[in-house]
Amino acid sequence: MELKQVMQQQSFVIVGDTLNETKFAYKIKHAMANCGYDVQCVGKELESINDAEGEVDIVDLCIHPVKGLELLKTCEKPFKSVVLQPGAGSDEIRAYLTEQQIPFIDGCLLVGLATFPREL
């Protein structure tokens, strides 16, 4: 899945510190919500991706790779793709996603919002 396709999805789970205004997870959460996306947050708000309500299209990792891998391995909730924000990816995460045949991209949702603006 390319970034353009990611930005055409509706339901996002942002994984990271979404309560700290200085963190990118916080900035992504608010930017996505302000553009009309359905956003739920794991890390400081929800404990697990499994706790997200309803369908999840995209899991956006804005968290240390070790914790991100742990959350992915315990996830039982289906989703379409993972976005690995800068600093959130690792060889281990990429190998796990490839092994599990889970689509992923190395990218940034803030870049996606700027490059592929959503029509409301």
Side-chain angles (χ1 to χ4, degrees):
M1 186 174 284
E2 299 293 324
L3 186 56
K4 183 176 184 177
Q5 294 169 300
V6 167
M7 301 313 295
Q8 293 170 348
Q9 304 304 308
Q10 178 60 34
S11 176
F12 288 75
V13 169
I14 311 299
V15 181
D17 187 348
T18 55
L19 300 179
N20 182 338
E21 293 180 17
T22 66
K23 300 291 187 176
F24 276 101
Y26 175 93
K27 295 171 185 177
I28 292 166
K29 167 191 171 181
H30 289 280
M32 296 292 290
N34 288 339
C35 289
Y37 291 96
D38 297 331
V39 178
Q40 298 181 69
C41 304
V42 170
K44 300 288 183 179
E45 297 179 53
L46 298 173
E47 188 173 320
S48 164
I49 299 166
N50 296 321
D51 296 334
E53 293 184 17
E55 292 185 23
V56 174
D57 295 322
I58 305 295
V59 173
D60 181 52
L61 295 181
C62 302
I63 196 167
H64 190 279
V66 172
K67 182 67 174 168
L69 181 58
E70 177 185 314
L71 286 167
L72 289 172
K73 285 184 173 182
T74 60
C75 182
E76 297 174 3
K77 191 165 197 69
F79 55 86
K80 296 177 183 175
S81 185
V82 173
V83 174
L84 300 172
Q85 293 286 149
S90 69
D91 291 341
E92 292 79 12
I93 287 179
R94 289 180 190 89
Y96 174 78
L97 293 170
T98 300
E99 177 183 295
Q100 298 299 313
Q101 299 181 340
I102 299 171
F104 68 93
I105 64 167
D106 288 282
C108 177
L109 294 184
L110 293 176
V111 171
L113 287 171
T115 308
F116 306 107
R118 187 164 198 196
E119 297 178 23
L120 298 177

